Amino acid sequence: MRPSGGKSGRPAARSVHGVSEVSASWWWWSQAPLQLKNLPVNSFSLEFLTELIINLEKLENDKTFRGIIITSDCPKAFSAGVDLREICGKNPAHYTEYWKVLQDLWLRLYLSNLVLISAINGPCAAGGCLIPLTSDYRILADNPKCLIGLNETRLGISAPFWFKDPLVNIIGHRASEHALQLGLLFPPAEALQVGIVDKVVPKDQVQSTALSVMTQWLAIPDHARQLTKNMIRKPTADLLVKHRDTDIQNFVSFISRDSIQKSLQMYLAKLKQNKD
Amino acid sequence: MRPSGGKSGRPAARSVHGVSEVSASWWWWSQAPLQLKNLPVNSFSLEFLTELIINLEKLENDKTFRGIIITSDCPKAFSAGVDLREICGKNPAHYTEYWKVLQDLWLRLYLSNLVLISAINGPCAAGGCLIPLTSDYRILADNPKCLIGLNETRLGISAPFWFKDPLVNIIGHRASEHALQLGLLFPPAEALQVGIVDKVVPKDQVQSTALSVMTQWLAIPDHARQLTKNMIRKPTADLLVKHRDTDIQNFVSFISRDSIQKSLQMYLAKLKQNKD
Amino acid sequence: MRPSGGKSGRPAARSVHGVSEVSASWWWWSQAPLQLKNLPVNSFSLEFLTELIINLEKLENDKTFRGIIITSDCPKAFSAGVDLREICGKNPAHYTEYWKVLQDLWLRLYLSNLVLISAINGPCAAGGCLIPLTSDYRILADNPKCLIGLNETRLGISAPFWFKDPLVNIIGHRASEHALQLGLLFPPAEALQVGIVDKVVPKDQVQSTALSVMTQWLAIPDHARQLTKNMIRKPTADLLVKHRDTDIQNFVSFISRDSIQKSLQMYLAKLKQNKD
């Protein structure tokens, strides 16, 4: 991917893994659409994560851009989160690098100076919520398949604290405790009610709604908005910065267990079988 | 009380102070009904608290059990909280022990690995909220007598911070500030609206609803749910662990005051008179 | 202003800058109406702030009073907040003093032992929210002109953290993040829905509602209520106490910038022109 269009005042859509098509009404001189495309379900492979971070960095540094609308260019999902192949059958050094990059993405997004709007046009579970949870605004397609939530416990694992913290910030302590313990996936109406998304609209209006919301946000002077965002979010981000090494160690030691690796292998074999 | 029924896969109801009757539909292989029975209103006498803690400890250690539904077997109340006779006319050593045991109960409940569901079938004020506030889920009987809340200020005292903290976690800061300062007791519909309970059902459906909610919670693998619960609750529990000695000292010095003792004596005399 | 009426059991209305008229139904033996009058829009000049603090101190120390209803005696606004003339064209020593006094007012209000009720009978933006945000209860007049909110970002600045903190306490983290970044001003119905005020009533009922709410609050024994209020609010107040010097330095260095001073001068000139 390369940044483009900035100088002409009309940015092309940024696409990660593959070319994206963007209709004319999609752009705004100061916002960049960022379309995730890592078929079939935007799993976070190490390569995809790295590319995403590089793109975000470029957009942050290119003063042409003031906001990003992040959406999926995969028909099946907004994002499936962690790519299990990255955390199965590899060595501790690989797991360490992978988790660190995932934390890097979180930090870059959560403290981004850009306005980040998630245009969630597909299912979005567990790690797939990373982008929405760190965005400034979340719009969900009104489709029963578009479930959103941190369902880690249903998979026998626990979401990391840096997923819990923004969830608590967004929907409150009690609703988070309930949703996280039960691994709830919210269909659109419930997602709106609990507050994990800010707006639910028909699927074909997700992009236009995102653009219209972006217009509101870009009406605010950047510097004042950025100072304010940082003031509110820094204490939460500081917790990850402070505890990230311990968090990596915990993750690597957990994922390296024989029992966990066996479960992951069986699960991956099953997924492969279903595909064939 | 002794743990029983575990091996047979069908636990008898645990009853504290007195035998409890449990209908057949009440049990579930992996959950234990815990019926509080310290007539007339489940006041927390030192003996009752101690027995409750021992029972909880046994249930925690008995791997047969994964969850507890806590309810009252006293017709008049879910729990009246602190037994005033324990904090009136005794010596500082007694007050110290009493408060420490109350903190112990709180800590055991708040960080319990078991799923705790409060089936609140009677009024539940001040200290009587200890069990509901530390549970994972709260169901309240839809009866105008079933008031719930921390009404300490109306009695001229202040709830301890470890009652305030879970209340803030459950209903938020603003609602807590309002409810605690005014000592509000919520009737069922308001209790549901403010969020201090999760569900309100007719009194004769409290138990069946609790069982059905428990089924949802037990569908989640224990280990993942426990890790998640601990991650969310530990920071709140750590505050009590860190400040418990100071909290005991504050309580003992407050309760030992002549003016407070005099008020308590008058109040107890009045209660006794009403009874006679 | 001098405290008066206390001994007679019927306090006169306290008025800052100018005589206030108070109808007979306005008083209550133990509450003092405090009417803000610094025409035209109750801007916080240094003199007005100082007088306000002195009055609050007197009321706190006069045991006749248990609560204050704060309202505006200016037809155009509840309060316009910071008086720009205090932070424009003066020297750093003056800015330092001004900001310190503003913090003093915040601290005095937020931890006041008195029951504070804001009877918001006019628009109330940015710094004008200081009194409502630190009150125990907020009543807003149901008039489309009565907008309330922290709109600092729209003016190109960021609200200080000690405005953000009580806002988060009142309306929660997510709503605060949204409102602060976008500098939202809420009309009455939305203000009620988001929770930044507790009640919306027709303008001519603001005072009577405030009195009736005050009656509820004064039904609670002072000592217990004060302990409870302090327990809930102290952690938030401690943050300002701990960081107030850094906060003053940040403010003074920001406001002393040439670019900021130039903007303020232009803005003030424009305001003056509109007036003429």
Side-chain angles (χ1 to χ4, degrees):
Chain A
M1 203 229 89
R2 57 199 170 74
S4 69
K7 307 274 156 151
S8 73
R10 174 173 169 175
R14 267 85 222 303
S15 173
V16 178
H17 284 252
V19 180
S20 64
E21 293 174 60
V22 182
S23 76
S25 66
W26 256 50
W27 57 273
W28 186 259
W29 71 274
S30 49
Q31 68 85 12
L34 186 65
Q35 296 185 295
L36 310 175
K37 190 166 194 174
N38 187 20
L39 290 168
V41 288
N42 284 327
S43 294
F44 291 153
S45 66
L46 185 53
E47 191 196 347
F48 186 58
L49 284 177
T50 309
E51 209 175 329
L52 197 47
I53 290 172
I54 293 171
N55 278 313
L56 287 167
E57 201 173 353
K58 282 182 188 159
L59 289 167
E60 292 265 0
N61 293 335
D62 182 338
K63 297 305 172 201
T64 319
F65 300 109
R66 301 173 56 213
I68 309 178
I69 293 172
I70 307 177
T71 194
S72 164
D73 201 17
C74 295
K76 284 195 180 168
F78 178 78
S79 169
V82 168
D83 187 331
L84 299 183
R85 288 165 301 186
E86 300 285 359
I87 60 170
C88 180
K90 301 280 201 310
N91 57 44
H94 184 82
Y95 303 147
T96 300
E97 186 192 358
Y98 181 75
W99 204 246
K100 201 172 169 309
V101 171
L102 202 65
Q103 292 174 336
D104 279 338
L105 176 62
W106 188 100
L107 284 168
R108 180 159 293 280
L109 290 167
Y110 200 66
L111 294 181
S112 174
N113 272 330
L114 299 161
V115 175
L116 300 185
I117 295 179
S118 282
I120 312 165
N121 52 357
C124 173
C129 291
L130 189 148
I131 293 170
L133 286 177
T134 54
S135 291
D136 293 302
Y137 201 90
R138 290 156 286 278
I139 299 160
L140 182 64
D142 192 5
N143 182 303
K145 284 188 186 169
C146 288
L147 300 170
I148 183 169
L150 297 172
N151 61 332
E152 278 85 347
T153 56
R154 290 182 186 264
L155 314 173
I157 56 175
S158 177
F161 75 86
W162 35 289
F163 275 67
K164 178 262 294 176
D165 287 343
L167 186 70
V168 169
N169 287 348
I170 293 168
I171 69 171
H173 193 282
R174 168 59 192 153
S176 297
E177 196 179 276
H178 190 226
L180 283 170
Q181 284 204 62
L182 293 186
L184 297 182
L185 286 174
F186 298 100
E190 289 179 32
L192 186 63
Q193 203 188 353
V194 79
I196 196 172
V197 298
D198 299 294
K199 227 185 211 347
V200 168
V201 298
K203 199 167 180 175
D204 60 1
Q205 293 171 28
V206 168
Q207 293 304 331
S208 56
T209 305
L211 262 182
S212 133
V213 169
M214 182 61 86
T215 307
Q216 288 181 282
W217 285 70
L218 294 184
I220 305 299
D222 282 336
H223 185 66
R225 190 190 51 71
Q226 289 160 358
L227 278 176
T228 302
K229 179 174 179 176
N230 193 273
M231 170 178 68
I232 306 177
R233 294 195 165 193
K234 199 166 175 295
T236 302
D238 282 349
L239 289 176
L240 175 51
V241 172
K242 189 175 168 189
H243 298 293
R244 69 185 297 187
D245 288 341
T246 317
D247 182 62
I248 291 172
Q249 284 163 26
N250 288 344
F251 171 74
V252 173
S253 113
F254 174 80
I255 212 70
S256 304
R257 285 186 208 165
D258 284 347
S259 59
I260 299 292
Q261 284 294 316
K262 226 172 259 177
S263 302
L264 286 171
Q265 276 155 14
M266 283 170 60
Y267 190 70
L268 277 168
K270 212 168 144 192
L271 283 181
K272 200 165 174 282
Q273 208 175 3
N274 289 345
K275 230 187 196 170
D276 296 342
Chain B
M1 202 230 90
R2 56 195 172 75
S4 70
K7 307 273 153 149
S8 75
R10 174 174 169 175
R14 267 87 222 304
S15 173
V16 178
H17 283 252
V19 181
S20 64
E21 291 175 61
V22 182
S23 76
S25 65
W26 257 49
W27 57 273
W28 186 259
W29 71 275
S30 48
Q31 68 84 12
L34 185 66
Q35 296 185 296
L36 310 175
K37 191 168 193 172
N38 187 20
L39 289 168
V41 288
N42 283 327
S43 294
F44 291 154
S45 67
L46 185 54
E47 191 195 347
F48 185 57
L49 284 176
T50 308
E51 212 176 326
L52 197 47
I53 290 172
I54 293 171
N55 279 312
L56 286 166
E57 199 173 355
K58 282 180 186 159
L59 288 167
E60 291 265 0
N61 293 334
D62 183 339
K63 297 303 171 203
T64 318
F65 301 108
R66 301 173 56 212
I68 309 179
I69 293 171
I70 307 178
T71 194
S72 164
D73 201 15
C74 295
K76 283 195 181 165
F78 178 79
S79 169
V82 168
D83 187 332
L84 299 183
R85 288 164 301 185
E86 300 285 0
I87 58 170
C88 180
K90 302 280 201 312
N91 58 45
H94 184 82
Y95 303 147
T96 299
E97 187 192 359
Y98 182 75
W99 204 246
K100 200 172 170 308
V101 170
L102 202 64
Q103 292 174 335
D104 280 337
L105 176 62
W106 188 100
L107 285 168
R108 180 159 292 279
L109 290 167
Y110 199 65
L111 294 180
S112 174
N113 272 329
L114 298 161
V115 175
L116 299 186
I117 295 179
S118 282
I120 311 164
N121 52 356
C124 173
C129 291
L130 188 149
I131 294 171
L133 286 177
T134 53
S135 291
D136 293 302
Y137 202 90
R138 291 155 285 277
I139 300 159
L140 181 65
D142 192 5
N143 183 304
K145 284 187 186 168
C146 288
L147 300 169
I148 182 170
L150 297 173
N151 61 332
E152 277 85 346
T153 55
R154 288 182 187 265
L155 313 173
I157 56 175
S158 176
F161 74 86
W162 35 289
F163 275 68
K164 179 261 292 176
D165 287 342
L167 186 70
V168 169
N169 288 347
I170 293 168
I171 69 171
H173 192 282
R174 168 59 191 151
S176 297
E177 196 178 275
H178 190 226
L180 283 171
Q181 284 204 64
L182 293 186
L184 298 182
L185 286 174
F186 298 101
E190 289 178 32
L192 186 64
Q193 203 189 353
V194 79
I196 196 172
V197 299
D198 299 295
K199 228 186 212 344
V200 168
V201 298
K203 198 167 182 177
D204 60 2
Q205 293 170 26
V206 168
Q207 294 302 330
S208 57
T209 305
L211 263 180
S212 134
V213 169
M214 182 62 86
T215 307
Q216 288 180 283
W217 284 71
L218 295 185
I220 306 300
D222 282 336
H223 186 65
R225 190 190 51 72
Q226 289 160 357
L227 278 175
T228 302
K229 180 174 178 175
N230 193 273
M231 171 178 68
I232 306 177
R233 294 195 166 193
K234 200 167 175 296
T236 302
D238 282 349
L239 290 175
L240 175 51
V241 171
K242 189 174 168 192
H243 298 293
R244 68 185 297 186
D245 288 341
T246 316
D247 182 61
I248 291 172
Q249 283 163 27
N250 289 344
F251 171 73
V252 173
S253 112
F254 174 79
I255 213 70
S256 303
R257 285 186 208 165
D258 283 348
S259 59
I260 299 291
Q261 284 293 316
K262 227 172 258 177
S263 301
L264 287 171
Q265 276 155 15
M266 282 169 61
Y267 191 69
L268 277 168
K270 211 168 146 193
L271 283 181
K272 201 166 174 280
Q273 207 174 1
N274 289 344
K275 231 186 194 169
D276 296 341
Chain C
M1 203 229 88
R2 57 194 171 76
S4 68
K7 308 274 156 153
S8 75
R10 173 174 171 175
R14 266 84 221 305
S15 172
V16 178
H17 283 250
V19 181
S20 63
E21 291 175 59
V22 183
S23 76
S25 65
W26 256 51
W27 57 274
W28 185 259
W29 71 274
S30 49
Q31 67 85 13
L34 186 65
Q35 297 185 297
L36 310 175
K37 189 166 192 174
N38 187 21
L39 289 167
V41 288
N42 283 328
S43 294
F44 291 154
S45 66
L46 185 54
E47 190 195 349
F48 185 57
L49 284 176
T50 308
E51 210 176 329
L52 196 46
I53 291 173
I54 292 171
N55 278 312
L56 287 167
E57 199 173 356
K58 281 182 187 160
L59 288 167
E60 292 265 2
N61 293 335
D62 183 338
K63 296 307 172 198
T64 319
F65 300 109
R66 301 173 57 212
I68 309 178
I69 294 172
I70 307 177
T71 194
S72 164
D73 201 17
C74 295
K76 284 195 180 167
F78 179 78
S79 169
V82 167
D83 187 332
L84 299 183
R85 288 163 301 184
E86 299 286 359
I87 59 170
C88 180
K90 302 280 201 310
N91 58 44
H94 185 82
Y95 303 147
T96 299
E97 187 192 358
Y98 182 75
W99 204 245
K100 199 170 170 308
V101 170
L102 202 64
Q103 292 174 336
D104 279 338
L105 176 61
W106 188 100
L107 284 168
R108 180 159 292 279
L109 290 167
Y110 199 65
L111 294 180
S112 174
N113 272 329
L114 298 161
V115 175
L116 300 185
I117 296 179
S118 281
I120 311 164
N121 51 357
C124 172
C129 291
L130 189 149
I131 293 171
L133 286 177
T134 53
S135 290
D136 293 301
Y137 202 90
R138 290 155 285 278
I139 300 160
L140 181 64
D142 191 6
N143 183 303
K145 285 188 185 168
C146 288
L147 300 170
I148 182 170
L150 297 172
N151 61 333
E152 277 85 346
T153 56
R154 289 182 186 265
L155 314 174
I157 56 175
S158 176
F161 74 86
W162 36 289
F163 276 67
K164 179 260 294 175
D165 287 343
L167 186 70
V168 169
N169 288 347
I170 292 168
I171 69 171
H173 192 282
R174 168 59 191 153
S176 297
E177 196 179 278
H178 190 226
L180 283 171
Q181 285 204 63
L182 293 186
L184 298 181
L185 286 175
F186 298 101
E190 289 179 30
L192 186 63
Q193 203 188 353
V194 79
I196 197 171
V197 298
D198 298 296
K199 228 185 212 345
V200 168
V201 298
K203 198 166 181 178
D204 59 2
Q205 292 170 28
V206 168
Q207 294 304 330
S208 57
T209 305
L211 262 181
S212 134
V213 169
M214 182 60 86
T215 308
Q216 288 181 282
W217 284 71
L218 294 185
I220 305 299
D222 282 336
H223 185 66
R225 191 190 50 71
Q226 289 160 357
L227 278 176
T228 302
K229 179 174 179 176
N230 193 273
M231 170 178 68
I232 306 178
R233 295 194 164 193
K234 198 165 175 295
T236 301
D238 282 349
L239 290 175
L240 175 51
V241 172
K242 190 176 168 189
H243 298 293
R244 68 183 299 186
D245 288 341
T246 316
D247 182 62
I248 291 172
Q249 284 163 26
N250 289 343
F251 171 74
V252 174
S253 112
F254 175 79
I255 213 69
S256 303
R257 284 187 208 165
D258 283 347
S259 59
I260 299 291
Q261 284 294 316
K262 225 172 259 178
S263 302
L264 287 171
Q265 276 155 14
M266 282 169 62
Y267 191 69
L268 277 167
K270 210 169 146 192
L271 284 181
K272 200 166 174 282
Q273 205 173 3
N274 290 344
K275 231 185 196 170
D276 297 342

